[in-house]
């Protein structure tokens, strides 16, 4: 689809040049097609934005411009490809957890969760209810940090360093919350087959509530200085519009899809973890422009706060690791678990051999749906390890939306899509 | 927060007023790192060491380590008995604590030490000045025994040792406040 | 013979003190080069500090920690002076090297024609000061365009074209804004404008708020403060016209907006903020350098500092406009505001209210 799109645009712009040239009939009437193309080339400015450009991220965006209007965009990705799939296919199942985390650093819990769900389906293990709630809790905290990351980067794309600094500073309390649970700041490696690794520390609920209240208060200031800032509205409203049908046709996912009015959220469509038991809204916007995508993220932060409150209220007691795994622990490890509520790995973790078969999993990450496909042939390592990350799905966005916009809209659109190159390149 | 209708003048005034609010009452989140450093939480995943007495040399930690930072050394103890002990390459370790958790005897002594500065590339492959072979074959070295011993007895140095320790506290208004434990 | 010589010497010494020294003082010390340099150091530091405070950070701190890192900019200057100056292969070398120098010269020139005290009339011809300042302010950006053109870099090129468009679209509002004040004060002599404000006891910003607002907007635009930081927009065109520059030449490009900011702010405080009010030098005091130039100049300088501080604070509040939006503001709203300002002045003068 994307290729077709790019091709047809190219054709159009060649014809466009022909048209605009033929308006000047006196001078161009006798020109051949080649000469016309040369004329077009003279009008055209090709900008190579990236990979070492302050506004490109780890990718190269080739932009053909006529005046200030973008004629064609060719995003060139792959600069941070890390062969995660092949790496994981040569390692024990458990070792893929840190690997999948590393490509989506703002959103590690969700990557971890998606992989572990696929693995659990291969192994036939069900996590305990408390573990399900803990997964939802950490995943939602992580979603807020991921959205804040997106909002912050959007700020610097449009030139507001304040929002950039604010968002990154406000990730700090949330990251601290996750640090209290897992002992790491970004790469938590928190979710394992059968459950999670650590239980909530004492007094966590009160501290989490403090942070949530702080976040809510801060969102009001964000609204004043950023969301409702007239300059921001001028820059984003009506820019980079993706219609509902286009969004579906291009396969866009996540907040970008919902901002175009499609009510699709993996948490609803294919429920996992504790989401079936929770009451939350899936906000959507019909406009599909950059401003809608900006609002979408703010609204989703509000919804995540709501979910976290519910989880903390409803979380059931019980083990955080399934009986399958618990029964495989040795007596010392069981004692450690009872004492510290910390899951020690039985030796099984290093020798998991799922029965031959295949499994899939989808998880709604901060930027959209992560899809996992695992094939086992009964060996200690996956036979096929395949995953599709949301940023990769959001890539057609670039070629589709930017055509016909101003050069200055390129960062506005790029930032609004919250595209994260390492995540797309995997 | 939804809704696009907005009064432009109100928007400008609000934005400027919010900016002024934070200018007048700065809510700083930065930690002045080399002067202050955070008192990390009890469960923070920092450097660790293996308790020689408790380890049974089962190699599970080596098997589970994702970046292959652990390699097993063949050692001979004082009584002439052969034993295997893990050696950790801090240049590779990602502090996932898989090894800590999989150890059947809980032989790992964990710490909250997180900051360690290396002056050269080879230094993190060394233990207290002793260069080690890269990447895995420590056991081939004749002096592996001393290396090993010097490793597991001494905790890693912390470059932020001289700094003022602060404790982050959540706060409804400011998000995070750094408190000095000495102060009331 | 000796008597004649000594007479000549004493006369020339006297005339040196009386006629030569004040202009040198004006150009070299205040409000000229030395104060400009100090202001630059302070302003860049202040901008970073103000932005940092709003953004939950500390800003520059570690160079002179006791004083909040205030000499950070000096450290930056030292760094710039030790960097290698690179001339790109495809650059137009002559233009590439001369443009920053000319830019600096033309950026500093307006300062001479902005009177900061009544004594100014004794140093330079003050009668047409406003008429001279306008073209000098407007001509500076031409060298920015030259700079971008000479660099042979697409981003520089795009940046300088942006600058050119913006200059053209904000020229007329600037002229209209100053024109309305000229109409109001009935003189193109800025000193008369200040006496007018002091005499009536009303600053120009109250007399014609439209012109003041317009001047402020043009000032933000010309000095590239947010939300009009468009020709250097980092996420779009890297560093705009200055992309290829390095070392001290880049430093010139970086500091030029602040120098422009300085001259604009001085002009703003003279035209709109009552000049050296509340210091009203008596005729006797005005004929001395201290009473007629330094003390009033200090007041104007402090007012200008406040204006500058406000403008650099905008960085912490706004993102940037798109180029076409900024141009539209220039040709549409700003132009109408300019006409409105002129109309208001005419109405005020006509009705005899002032
Ligand atoms: S913490 Fe992880 S990476 Fe480090 S040695 Fe243990 S298993 Fe290996
Ligand atoms: S897992 Fe524990 S007991 Fe086994 S080798 Fe490693 S440290 Fe020793």
């Amino acid at each position: 689809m994307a290729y077709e799109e790019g091709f047809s645009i190219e054709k159009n712009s060649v014809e466009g040049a022909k048209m605009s040239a033929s308006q000047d009939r006196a001078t161009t009437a006798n020109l051949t097609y080649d000469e016309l193309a040369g004329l077009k080339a003279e009008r055209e400015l090709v900008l190579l934005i990236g990979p070492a450009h302050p506004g490109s991220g780890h990718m190269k965006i080739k932009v053909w411009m006529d005046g200030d209007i973008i004629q064609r965009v060719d995003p060139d990705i792959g600069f941070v490809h890390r062969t995660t799939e092949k790496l994981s296919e040569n390692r024990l199942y458990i070792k893929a957890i840190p690997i999948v985390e590393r490509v989506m650093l703002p959103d590690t819990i969700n990557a971890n969760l998606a992989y572990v769900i696929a693995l659990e389906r291969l192994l036939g293990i069900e996590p305990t209810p408390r573990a399900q709630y803990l997964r939802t809790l950490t995943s939602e905290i992580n979603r807020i940090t991921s959205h804040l990351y997106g909002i912050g980067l959007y700020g610097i794309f449009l030139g507001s360093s304040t929002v950039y600094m604010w968002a990154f500073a406000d990730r700090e309390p949330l990251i601290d919350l996750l640090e209290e649970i897992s002992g790491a700041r970004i790469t938590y490696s928190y979710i394992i087959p059968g459950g999670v690794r650590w239980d909530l520390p004492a007094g966590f609920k009160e501290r989490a509530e403090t942070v949530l209240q702080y976040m809510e208060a801060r969102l009001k200031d964000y609204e004043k200085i950023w969301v409702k800032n007239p300059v921001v509205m001028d820059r984003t409203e009506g820019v980079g519009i993706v219609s509902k049908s286009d969004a579906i046709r291009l396969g866009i996912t996540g907040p970008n899809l919902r901002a175009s009015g499609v009510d699709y959220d993996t948490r609803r469509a294919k429920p996992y973890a504790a989401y079936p038991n929770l009451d939350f809204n899936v906000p959507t916007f019909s406009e599909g422009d950059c401003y809608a995508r900006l609002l979408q993220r703010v609204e989703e932060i509000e919804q995540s706060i709501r979910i976290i409150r519910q989880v903390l209220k409803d979380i059931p007691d019980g083990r955080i690791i399934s009986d399958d795994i618990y029964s495989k622990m040795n007596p010392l490890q069981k004692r450690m678990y009872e004492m510290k509520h910390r899951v020690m790995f039985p030796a099984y973790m290093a020798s998991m051999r799922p029965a031959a078969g295949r499994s899939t999993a989808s998880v709604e990450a901060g930027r959209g749906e992560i899809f996992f496909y695992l094939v086992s042939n009964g060996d200690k390592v996956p036979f096929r390890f395949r995953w599709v990350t949301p940023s990769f799905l959001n890539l057609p966005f670039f070629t589709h939306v930017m055509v016909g916009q101003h050069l200055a809209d390129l960062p506005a659109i790029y930032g609004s899509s919250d595209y994260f190159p390492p995540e797309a390149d995997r | 927060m939804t809704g696009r209708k907005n009064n432009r003048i109100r928007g400008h005034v609000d934005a400027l007023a919010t900016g002024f609010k934070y200018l007048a009452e700065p809510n700083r989140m930065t930690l002045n790192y080399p002067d202050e450093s955070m008192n990390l939480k009890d469960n923070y995943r920092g450097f660790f060491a293996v308790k020689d007495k408790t380890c049974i040399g089962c190699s599970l930690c080596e098997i589970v380590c994702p970046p292959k930072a652990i390699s097993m050394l063949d050692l001979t103890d004082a009584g002439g008995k052969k034993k295997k002990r893990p050696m950790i390459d801090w240049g590779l370790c990602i502090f996932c604590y898989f090894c800590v958790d999989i150890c059947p005897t809980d032989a790992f002594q964990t710490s909250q030490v997180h900051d360690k500065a290396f002056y050269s590339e080879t230094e993190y492959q060394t233990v207290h000045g002793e260069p080690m072979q890269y990447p895995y074959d420590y056991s081939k070295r004749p002096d592996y025994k001393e290396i090993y011993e010097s490793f597991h007895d001494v905790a890693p140095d912390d470059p932020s040792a001289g700094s003022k320790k602060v404790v982050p506290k959540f706060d409804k208004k400011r998000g995070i406040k750094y408190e000095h434990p000495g102060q009331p | 013979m000796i008597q004649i010589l000594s007479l000549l010497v004493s006369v020339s010494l006297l005339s040196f003190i009386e006629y030569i020294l004040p202009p040198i003082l004006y150009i070299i010390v205040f409000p000229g080069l030395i104060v400009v340099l100090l202001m630059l150091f302070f302003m860049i530091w202040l901008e970073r500090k103000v932005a940092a405070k709003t953004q939950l950070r500390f800003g520059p701190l570690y160079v002179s920690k006791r004083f909040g890192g205030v000499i950070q900019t000096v450290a930056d200057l030292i760094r710039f002076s030790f960097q290698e100056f690179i001339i790109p292969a495809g650059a137009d070398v002559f233009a590439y090297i001369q443009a920053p120098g000319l830019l600096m010269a033309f950026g500093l020139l307006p300062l001479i024609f902005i009177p900061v005290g009544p004594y100014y009339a004794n140093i330079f011809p003050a009668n047409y000061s406003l008429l001279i300042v306008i073209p000098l302010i407007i001509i500076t950006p031409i060298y920015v365009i030259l700079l971008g053109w000479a660099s042979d870099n697409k981003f520089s090129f795009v940046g300088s074209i942006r600058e050119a468009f913006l200059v053209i679209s904000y020229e007329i509002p600037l002229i209209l804004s100053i024109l309305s004040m000229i109409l109001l004060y009935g003189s193109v002599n800025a000193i008369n404008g200040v006496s007018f404000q002091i005499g009536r006891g009303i600053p120009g910003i109250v007399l014609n708020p439209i012109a003041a607002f317009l001047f402020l907007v043009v000032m933000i635009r010309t000095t590239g403060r947010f939300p009009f930081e468009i020709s250097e927009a980092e996420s779009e065109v890297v560093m705009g016209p200055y992309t290829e520059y390095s070392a001290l030449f880049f430093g010139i490009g970086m500091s030029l907006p602040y120098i422009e900011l300085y001259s604009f702010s001085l002009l703003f405080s003279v035209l709109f903020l009552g000049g050296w009010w509340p210091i009203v030098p008596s005729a006797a005091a005005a004929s001395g350098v201290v009473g007629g130039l330094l003390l009033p100049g200090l007041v104007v300088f402090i007012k200008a500092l406040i204006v500058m501080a406000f403008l650099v604070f905008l960085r912490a509040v706004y993102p940037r406009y798109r180029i076409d939006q900024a141009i539209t503001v220039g040709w549409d709203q700003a132009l109408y505001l300019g006409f409105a300002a002129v109309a208001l002045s005419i109405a005020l003068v006509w009705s005899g209210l002032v």
Side-chain angles (χ1 to χ4, degrees), chain C residues 91-343:
Chain C
D92 180 341
V93 179
F94 184 58
Y96 186 77
I97 295 176
Q98 66 157 351
L102 285 172
L103 192 59
M104 198 65 163
F106 277 92
L108 286 168
L109 217 47
L111 285 176
I112 303 174
F113 298 96
I114 302 170
V116 295
Y119 187 76
Y120 176 88
N122 301 352
I123 315 176
F124 297 115
N127 289 347
Y128 299 103
S129 51
L130 286 178
L131 279 191
I132 301 172
V133 162
I134 297 175
L136 282 180
I137 282 181
I138 288 172
I139 207 167
T140 321
I142 288 181
Y143 293 97
V144 178
I145 297 162
L146 178 65
L147 205 97
W149 178 259
S151 302
D152 186 34
N153 176 314
K154 283 175 186 169
F155 293 113
S156 307
F157 178 62
V158 175
S160 55
I161 294 217
R162 285 180 170 198
E163 180 75 22
F165 273 123
L166 286 170
V167 170
I168 293 167
S169 35
Y170 282 86
E171 235 165 39
I172 297 173
L174 173 70
I175 294 172
L176 286 177
S177 157
I178 297 182
L179 180 69
S180 59
M181 294 329 272
I182 291 174
L183 285 173
L184 202 55
Y185 301 148
S187 161
V188 289
N189 185 344
I191 298 180
N192 290 354
V194 176
S195 347
F196 183 95
Q197 295 175 59
I198 293 174
R200 300 290 191 290
I202 317 172
I205 192 167
V206 179
L207 285 174
N208 195 337
I210 304 177
F213 176 72
L214 191 60
F215 192 87
L216 208 62
V217 171
V218 176
M219 189 158 138
I220 298 170
R221 166 19 244 145
T222 312
T223 56
R225 303 294 93 201
F226 280 89
F228 292 107
E229 195 245 26
I230 292 168
S231 52
E232 290 153 37
E234 203 191 9
S235 59
E236 294 153 26
V237 288
V238 194
M239 229 357 238
Y242 311 110
T243 305
E244 288 288 354
Y245 279 87
S246 53
L248 267 182
F249 286 68
F250 178 77
I252 290 175
M254 206 185 88
S255 50
L256 182 87
Y258 295 91
I259 297 172
E260 284 185 336
L261 187 62
Y262 179 58
S263 45
F264 264 96
S265 306
L266 286 179
L267 194 57
F268 187 78
S269 24
V270 166
L271 277 183
F272 295 101
L273 299 180
W276 39 90
W277 184 87
I279 289 188
V280 188
S282 61
S287 61
V289 174
V290 176
L293 191 61
L294 293 186
L295 277 183
L298 191 69
V299 175
V300 176
F301 183 69
I302 290 171
K303 286 178 180 172
L305 265 191
I306 295 170
V307 175
M308 283 191 271
F310 174 70
L311 290 203
V312 296
F313 162 71
L314 292 180
R315 169 178 291 270
V317 178
Y318 289 114
R320 60 177 77 87
Y321 272 118
R322 205 168 60 208
I323 171 83
D324 59 318
Q325 287 165 343
I327 292 173
T328 313
V329 170
W331 283 116
D332 195 17
Q333 285 101 319
L335 198 59
Y336 292 142
L337 272 184
F339 288 134
V342 173

Side-chain angles (χ1 to χ4, degrees), chain B residues 8 11-13 15-16 18-20 22-23 26-35, chain C residues 49-59 61-62 65 310 313-314 316-318 321:
Chain B
R8 293 185 68 87
H12 282 295
V13 171
L16 284 170
T18 314
F20 267 124
Y22 281 87
L23 183 63
N27 168 19
R28 276 154 172 165
M29 276 236 190
T30 329
L31 191 66
N32 277 330
Y33 173 66
D35 299 334
Chain C
K49 208 71 183 169
V50 161
K53 268 197 166 188
T54 319
Q55 298 170 354
L56 325 179
R57 311 184 274 130
F58 282 92
L61 184 63
Y62 279 87
K65 208 163 175 188
F310 174 70
F313 162 71
L314 292 180
V317 178
Y318 289 114
Y321 272 118

Side-chain angles (χ1 to χ4, degrees), chain A residues 389-411:
Chain A
T389 44
S391 282
F392 184 68
L393 293 176
N394 285 336
L395 191 66
F397 209 80
F398 283 76
T399 44
H400 177 77
V401 179
M402 284 176 190
V403 175
Q405 304 278 4
H406 294 269
L407 173 66
D409 286 332
L410 189 138

Side-chain angles (χ1 to χ4, degrees), chain A residues 98, chain B residues 45-46 48 61-62 64-70 87-90 92-100 108:
Chain B
R45 282 149 46 182
F48 47 84
C61 51
E62 185 204 8
V64 85
C65 177
K68 298 184 181 154
I70 297 187
M87 165 72 79
I88 295 131
D89 182 341
W90 296 115
L92 293 175
C93 177
I94 56 172
F95 298 98
C96 63
Y97 268 33
F98 281 2
C99 53
V100 177
F108 283 86

Side-chain angles (χ1 to χ4, degrees), chain B residues 50 55-61 72 86 103-105 107-108:
Chain B
V50 180
C55 175
I56 53 170
C58 67
S59 299
L60 270 176
C61 51
M72 299 303 286
C103 178
T105 57
F108 283 86

Side-chain angles (χ1 to χ4, degrees), chain A residues 241-248 260 287-288 400:
Chain A
I241 298 177
V242 188
S243 69
K244 191 171 176 174
S245 59
D246 274 352
I248 297 169
S260 291
E287 292 88 350
H400 177 77

